[in-house]
Structure formats: structure tokens, C-alpha cells
């Protein structure tokens, strides 16, 4: 009888063979985790169908000064919240705030998920190659990762935003820059797991029978690395979303007229004393999506970590 190849240290064999089932068990591990997972689904659906939901509300992103009072603030109470404007309206322009928030969710999630995918892909390739090949390449990767982790990327983005043309696609820029600054954390974790796996018998056997580096990576290493990759990616998503919001808040992220949670929050700060509801809805959704991804990510990590008792 041939025994299956062992899984990395800290990852149970069942979880490595059936990651979707492990993720599903993590989501159902507690009522709070289930609520957060449902919240992620709801916000993602809002972002994906932003145009449809705004159409159902009967509004758009077009300015409408008829919803404003004589001072330029929303007419009515609670920032103009009504049956026609579910979240109220934006001061001075009268733009429907629900339309701004759901379209801003699309921008923030697109940047956050895109940057996470790019950073994770780079981190996996670089981390596996460093751990498997070793030598000067491993030392170069570690040195480069240390430099990038200590580099103030906010200052870099502010400087980059000052020199980029106004019509340059800022969402693509944010995805690329955040992804390039996000790979070192993934690479460190993957490299450590690869160093452990490289000493296992099934990797040595693959080399003996003539398996090249690409075969070892795709057939022997990668299947046993999915668990830590999923964990680190799930925890990186809220960080990327928060980074996009912070950069847009500082004015170097997404530029008008593209909606963004960070830019909406930045504008709402000026009206907080006179119209606090303008800040509540985009700030609340940013807080909820960040909280939800962190809770679900922690649950997945606990489920795949036998030391926590979650994988029992």
C-alpha cells in the first residue's frame, strides 16, 4: 500500500486534500463567522450589481440640487434619508448616497481583490522558488522582501500620484502598486513551508524519477501549499481594501468622478458637524467588510491549524 504524500507542518491532511470542505466548515464554525460570511456575500452582490440596485432605487449618480436645502445641505432629516434616497444625498451636489456607496464598493473590492490576487501570485512564485532553489536567489529574495516591508509605500504612492497624468487609470495603478508591495508577506510564509516540504521523501522521489522544477512545483509542492496560501490571502484582502480607502482618502487613489469609499469618507469629513449621516454609511460599510473578512480569515486559519483544535 502506497501512503499519500505528507502535508506541510501545521496543515492537517484532510484539510489539504479538501480545502473547499475545510473553508465551508470554517464558515459554519460559529454564528458570528456565518453572519460575517453572509455579510461578505451581500456586499459583494451589492458591488457586482450596483447599477441594478441603484436602478431599483430609482436614482443614479447624476447631481440633483432639488434634494438640497437653501444652505446646500440635504433637505429633510438624517441627511435626506427617505424612500427615494435610502442613504440620503451628498451635500452640495445632491447625488444619491446609496448610488455612491454601492458603486464605491465595486471600486474598493475590485482594487482589494485584484491587488490580493497579484500579490499572492507573485508571493507564491517567488517564495516557492526561493525555498526550493536556495542559494543566492534565496538570499536575494529575503533581502528584497525586507527592503519592501520597510519601505513607506504611502509616500511612494503620493509621489507617484503627483507625476501620473490625470487620465491614467488609477485603479490599475493601485492594483499593481499594492500587489507589488504585498508579495513579501506571502513569499515569507510560502518559502518557510517550501523549505519544510523540500526535505520530504515524496519531493526527493519526484526528483529521482526525473521530475524537473516545474513538475515538482505544480505536482508536489503547490497541492500542499494551498492551505497556507488561502489563509494568507483571506487575511490580506481587508488590508488591501483599507489601503485603497486610505490612499483615496489622501487624494492619491481613485480620482473623481469614479466613486470610492475612501474618497467619499474624505469629502464627508468636511460636513461631519452639519451632516454626520454623510460619513456614517460609507464608513460603516468599510468597517463591516474589513471586519467580516478578518473574522472569516481567522476562522479559516483556525480550521486549518491543528494547534488551535479547529481541525479536529
Amino acid at each position: 500500500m502506497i501512503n499519500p504524500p505528507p502535508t506541510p507542518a501545521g496543515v492537517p491532511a484532510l484539510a489539504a486534500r479538501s480545502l473547499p470542505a475545510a473553508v465551508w466548515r470554517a464558515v459554519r464554525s460559529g454564528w458570528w463567522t456565518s453572519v460575517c460570511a453572509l455579510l461578505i456575500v451581500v456586499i459583494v452582490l451589492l458591488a457586482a450589481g450596483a447599477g441594478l440596485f441603484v436602478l431599483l432605487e430609482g436614482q443614479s449618480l447624476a447631481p440633483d440640487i432639488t434634494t438640497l436645502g437653501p444652505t446646500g445641505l440635504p433637505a429633510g432629516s438624517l441627511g435626506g434619508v427617505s424612500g427615494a434616497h435610502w442613504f440620503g444625498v451628498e451635500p452640495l451636489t445632491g447625488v444619491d448616497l446609496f448610488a455612491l456607496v454601492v458603486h464605491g464598493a465595486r471600486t474598493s473590492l475590485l482594487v482589494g481583490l485584484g491587488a490580493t490576487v497579484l500579490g499572492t501570485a507573485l508571493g507564491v512564485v517567488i517564495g516557492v522558488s526561493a525555498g526550493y532553489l536556495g542559494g543566492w536567489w534565496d538570499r536575494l529574495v529575503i533581502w528584497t522582501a525586507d527592503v519592501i516591508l520597510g519601505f513607506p509605500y504611502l509616500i511612494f504612492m503620493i509621489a507617484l500620484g503627483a507625476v501620473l497624468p490625470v487620465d491614467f487609470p488609477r485603479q490599475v495603478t493601485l492594483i499593481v502598486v499594492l500587489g507589488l508591495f504585498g508579495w513579501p508577506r506571502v513569499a515569507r510564509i510560502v518559502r518557510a513551508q517550501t523549505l519544510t516540504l523540500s526535505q520530504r521523501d515524496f519531493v526527493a522521489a519526484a526528483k529521482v524519477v526525473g521530475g524537473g522544477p516545474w513538475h515538482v512545483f505544480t505536482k508536489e509542492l503547490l497541492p500542499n501549499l494551498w492551505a497556507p496560501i488561502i489563509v494568507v490571502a483571506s487575511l490580506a484582502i481587508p488590508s488591501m481594501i483599507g489601503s485603497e480607502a486610505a490612499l483615496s482618502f489622501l487624494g492619491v487613489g481613485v480620482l473623481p468622478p469614479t466613486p470610492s469609499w475612501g474618497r467619499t469618507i474624505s469629502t464627508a469629513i468636511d460636513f461631519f458637524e452639519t451632516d454626520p449621516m454623510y460619513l456614517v454609511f460609507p464608513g460603516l460599510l468599510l468597517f463591516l467588510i474589513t471586519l467580516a473578512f478578518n473574522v472569516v480569515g481567522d476562522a479559516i486559519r483556525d480550521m486549518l491549524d491543528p494547534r488551535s483544535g479547529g481541525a479536529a
Side-chain angles (χ1 to χ4, degrees):
M1 178 177 179
I2 301 176
N3 295 324
T7 57
V11 179
L14 179 59
R17 293 197 303 268
S18 183
L19 281 175
V23 172
W24 178 243
R25 289 198 305 272
V27 169
R28 297 188 304 162
S29 60
W31 70 270
W32 179 234
T33 306
S34 300
V35 169
C36 288
L38 179 62
L39 184 61
I40 292 174
V41 173
V42 170
I43 295 179
V44 169
L45 290 178
L46 280 175
L52 175 62
F53 288 110
V54 172
L55 184 63
L56 291 175
E57 187 200 22
Q59 302 298 331
S60 68
L61 288 170
D64 183 8
I65 60 174
T66 62
T67 60
L68 304 176
T71 61
L73 294 176
S77 59
L78 299 176
V81 174
S82 64
H85 300 282
W86 298 343
F87 287 1
V89 297
E90 184 180 42
L92 302 183
T93 66
V95 175
D96 182 69
L97 187 55
F98 176 78
L100 278 176
V101 169
V102 294
H103 280 92
R106 176 183 294 178
T107 301
S108 296
L109 289 176
L110 176 64
V111 173
L113 294 175
T116 300
V117 170
L118 177 59
T120 302
L122 289 175
V124 169
V125 173
I126 296 174
V128 169
S129 62
Y132 181 70
L133 299 177
W136 67 269
W137 174 244
D138 185 33
R139 293 192 295 271
L140 178 62
V141 167
I142 293 299
W143 178 83
T144 305
D146 290 340
V147 171
I148 294 178
L149 287 173
F151 192 84
Y153 75 92
L154 284 177
I155 297 178
F156 175 80
M157 278 299 302
I158 293 174
L160 185 62
V163 300
L164 284 176
V166 177
D167 58 348
F168 196 84
R170 293 301 179 94
Q171 295 184 48
V172 175
T173 304
L174 287 172
I175 291 174
V176 172
V177 172
L178 292 176
L180 291 177
F181 278 97
W183 69 261
R185 292 181 176 84
V186 181
R188 281 178 168 272
I189 295 174
V190 172
R191 171 185 174 273
Q193 294 286 0
T194 303
L195 288 173
T196 301
L197 287 172
S198 298
Q199 307 301 319
R200 300 296 180 89
D201 294 338
F202 66 94
V203 174
K207 295 178 183 178
V208 170
V209 297
W214 180 249
H215 171 83
V216 173
F217 169 65
T218 57
K219 302 299 183 182
E220 308 298 338
L221 296 178
L222 190 59
N224 290 288
L225 289 171
W226 277 122
I229 290 171
I230 289 178
V231 170
V232 71
S234 65
L235 294 175
I237 293 174
S239 174
M240 294 298 185
I241 293 175
S243 296
E244 182 279 325
L247 291 169
S248 297
F249 179 86
L250 293 173
V252 295
V254 177
L255 298 178
T258 305
S260 168
W261 283 345
R263 191 168 58 78
T264 303
I265 293 172
S266 177
T267 306
I269 294 295
D270 297 332
F271 298 94
F272 181 72
E273 294 184 357
T274 54
D275 184 16
M277 297 303 294
Y278 185 24
L279 177 64
V280 167
F281 289 109
L284 180 63
L285 260 70
L286 177 60
F287 169 77
L288 289 177
I289 193 66
T290 304
L291 174 67
F293 269 116
N294 274 298
V295 170
V296 173
D298 286 339
I300 295 174
R301 180 191 60 194
D302 293 341
M303 184 59 62
L304 297 177
D305 186 356
R307 292 170 297 183
S308 68

